[in-house]
Amino acid sequence: MINILHPVSEEIFRVIILLCSVLFLLPGCRSSSKKALVLAGSTSVQPFAELLAELYQQRHPGVEINVQGGGSTAGVRAVQDRICDIGMCSRHLNAAESGLTAIPIAVDGIVLVVHTTNPVVSLTREQVRAIFSGTVRNWREFGGANLRITVITREEGSGTRTSFEEKVMEGAHFASDALVQDSNGAVREIVANDPGAIGYISFGLVDERVKTLAIDGVQPTEETIRTHQYPLARDFLFVVAGDSNPLAQSFIDFVLSPEGQAALAEEGLIRVR
Amino acid sequence: MKEKLIEKGLLIVALSALGSLLLIALFIFIEGMPLIVKVGLKDFIASTHWAPTRGSFGILPMILGSLAVTLLALIFGGGLGLAGTMFLAEFAPRWSVRILKPLIELLAGIPSVVYGFMGVVVLVPWIRQTFGGPGFSVLAAGIILGIMILPTVIAISLDALNAVPLSYKEGSLALGATRWQTLYRVQFRAARSGIIASLILAMGRAVGETMAVIMVAGNALLIPTSPLAPVRTLTSNIALEMGYAAGDHQRALFATGVVLFVIIAVLNTIALLTMRERK
């Protein structure tokens, strides 16, 4: 029995080995013929860049776009060091980062949201800082009900939190009893259900279940965010070095095209074109 | 010859499970230890300030948070579980045991995100309205975890109780003890090590649970001083911040994993030793 089977099984074995090696080699061949583009930087921009990359790759099947996080500063440095083609940045370039070209692709507003029953309509940045650092703990202080303030912040490392820290906290620490949630949606969910809650989320995720606050007297609207009249507006930038490659340019053109801008607007960002 | 081959093959498969465990442990330690060494073990586990992007790596609030949540879960889940075990073992009619036991075991199959969702939708608003505070709290996490560990407590302690020889019970009853005295003083005492092991295994499950806890505990970086205070556990800390962490921040999360790994390894060892003692 074994003697009869033996040559056959050996043949099968050979075929399997052949198949395996072909399978292993195939993807290697394919990827080497592909053109690749690397994006790195702000984690606030990352999900949008991933979406755009997906759309772009659908239209240009031969291109592979790799989107990485790391933060705005790391992204800009990676462009300077020519490690990546396009840096993603959710703040303005500083003096040390000159010599690079920054292309705004969209504007985002960080919006303070409270429960719909909260009578407070406007706060100054100092008041917001007092709430989030825990020095003021009752809505009474701002003309609201005698209600404890539930502060909700984002997790350390989140791009939205980093921007909020820069624009509002100015070095102050968050109150240690502030609730921490790991997404805009989770923050909104808590605010929608807790009459005393306050949190900050991206403008695009505001819906009718929460109430937005005016900051320094300016209501967050598409118009005030686009013009940066609203103090917590931030540009999402693509940063490229002077000698940008044609593939990067083609991707940026796509992002700024009506189609790319519409995709960003659909995700809640405010278009620049 | 052929049998030897199959034996060897099975041995390799069995060893691969052990191997992956070793690799995971090795990886966590390699990634996490440099940070613990850099910060100092004492500062890492005894300092209260956690701001990894600003260079503060203190996980004491999370260690105490994990302990508080687990303790509360053991009080709820352990109490309910042992009461349930007594009922199932001694007082429940046969037909109801046949229905109840599989149903309780089914609890173990419900995904933890579903428990968390129930917690957010039902438990948290209830705590906020009844007791005040934000609702996201040690109490909410403790109750949810208490329910989640029920199947572990009941399954293992029921087995232990059923393994007590019938003669113990008969002897006790013959001496004039009531059913309750017999159950509590004789059968429970005889099954003690199995029951303790069930509680320790349940404790391991409670310490390791992540998703449901993130959803209901509030995750504040606070040393819990009241059951109504929000709290962050070791596992939540890792899962919350993993997405964006880089560099020392990421290593700090692995280091949190090292601490968690040690805690769970110690718990499981104690459970194994108490179970062995029984034999």
Side-chain angles (χ1 to χ4, degrees), chain A residues 187-254:
Chain A
V187 173
R188 185 184 60 194
E189 213 54 44
I190 298 180
V191 171
N193 290 307
D194 183 343
I198 183 169
Y200 55 89
I201 62 178
S202 246
F203 179 71
L205 282 133
V206 173
D207 64 14
E208 72 287 346
R209 293 178 305 147
V210 293
K211 189 176 112 177
T212 62
L213 293 180
I215 301 300
D216 295 344
V218 184
Q219 266 302 330
T221 63
E222 275 193 30
E223 196 49 42
T224 57
I225 292 172
R226 191 195 340 258
T227 57
H228 284 253
Q229 224 182 317
Y230 179 70
L232 306 186
R234 52 178 179 163
D235 279 329
F236 282 174
L237 306 173
F238 272 3
V239 179
V240 289
D243 51 348
S244 159
N245 67 46
L247 186 56
Q249 194 53 51
S250 154
F251 181 59
I252 292 169
D253 288 343
F254 168 74

Side-chain angles (χ1 to χ4, degrees), chain A residues 1-9, chain B residues 2:
Chain A
M1 190 74 171
I2 288 169
N3 281 335
I4 303 166
L5 267 179
H6 193 185
V8 179
S9 62
Chain B
K2 209 170 181 184

Side-chain angles (χ1 to χ4, degrees), chain B residues 47-238:
Chain B
S47 143
T48 59
H49 193 57
W50 170 265
T53 52
R54 301 186 194 186
S56 301
F57 305 97
I59 60 165
L60 186 65
M62 279 86 96
I63 295 177
L64 294 177
S66 276
L67 286 181
V69 165
T70 306
L71 191 71
L72 212 60
L74 273 184
I75 293 172
F76 285 118
L80 264 179
L82 292 185
T85 307
M86 289 185 200
F87 176 72
L88 284 175
E90 289 303 318
F91 303 108
R94 275 266 155 256
W95 61 268
S96 69
V97 176
R98 268 206 295 273
I99 299 171
L100 282 174
K101 203 163 173 242
L103 280 181
I104 290 163
E105 277 154 12
L106 202 65
L107 277 180
I110 297 176
S112 63
V113 66
V114 174
Y115 284 101
F117 189 67
M118 291 302 290
V120 169
V121 173
V122 180
L123 192 61
V124 167
W126 179 75
I127 291 176
R128 181 166 57 228
Q129 278 148 26
T130 318
F131 303 109
F136 295 86
S137 53
V138 180
L139 183 65
I143 292 175
I144 291 290
L145 280 178
I147 298 170
M148 292 180 76
I149 63 173
L150 273 180
T152 312
V153 175
I154 293 181
I156 299 174
S157 55
L158 191 59
D159 279 348
L161 210 54
N162 284 338
V164 175
L166 202 59
S167 57
Y168 286 26
K169 182 183 172 185
E170 287 164 347
S172 169
L173 289 175
L175 286 172
T178 63
R179 251 173 118 183
W180 170 249
Q181 284 169 334
T182 305
L183 179 62
Y184 187 65
R185 297 243 173 111
V186 178
Q187 288 166 285
F188 246 70
R189 200 147 293 186
R192 194 179 48 204
S193 63
I195 287 165
I196 291 173
S198 82
L199 292 178
I200 294 171
L201 283 177
M203 207 160 140
R205 172 136 167 69
V207 172
E209 176 50 44
T210 312
M211 193 62 212
V213 178
I214 287 189
M215 292 173 80
V216 301
N219 312 317
L221 286 165
L222 192 65
I223 291 181
T225 47
S226 118
L228 298 177
V231 70
R232 183 184 297 191
T233 63
L234 290 165
T235 48
S236 319
N237 190 44
I238 299 174

Side-chain angles (χ1 to χ4, degrees), chain A residues 68-144:
Chain A
Q68 298 162 359
S72 295
T73 309
V76 173
R77 200 178 310 133
V79 174
Q80 282 175 328
D81 297 344
R82 305 292 193 272
I83 297 169
C84 74
D85 304 295
I86 302 177
M88 301 175 288
C89 189
S90 52
R91 56 167 174 76
H92 291 288
L93 294 187
N94 60 36
E97 296 165 347
S98 59
L100 299 172
T101 315
I103 303 149
I105 59 159
V107 193
D108 181 34
I110 298 174
V111 178
L112 272 297
V113 286
V114 294
H115 195 260
T116 44
T117 59
N118 196 322
V120 175
V121 293
S122 180
L123 292 173
T124 66
R125 257 185 285 182
E126 287 71 39
Q127 288 171 326
V128 176
R129 180 159 61 236
I131 292 175
F132 278 83
S133 59
T135 44
V136 176
R137 291 176 173 276
N138 198 304
W139 283 110
R140 201 174 37 198
E141 311 266 336
F142 305 120

Side-chain angles (χ1 to χ4, degrees), chain B residues 9-80:
Chain B
L10 288 176
L11 181 71
I12 288 171
V13 172
L15 283 180
S16 72
L18 187 70
S20 55
L21 175 70
L22 280 178
L23 279 179
I24 290 172
L26 200 70
F27 185 74
I28 295 175
F29 274 81
I30 287 175
E31 289 286 315
M33 282 316 280
L35 187 107
I36 296 184
V37 171
K38 185 172 156 192
V39 179
L41 181 64
K42 192 172 144 272
D43 277 349
F44 187 65
I45 60 172
S47 143
T48 59
H49 193 57
W50 170 265
T53 52
R54 301 186 194 186
S56 301
F57 305 97
I59 60 165
L60 186 65
M62 279 86 96
I63 295 177
L64 294 177
S66 276
L67 286 181
V69 165
T70 306
L71 191 71
L72 212 60
L74 273 184
I75 293 172
F76 285 118
L80 264 179

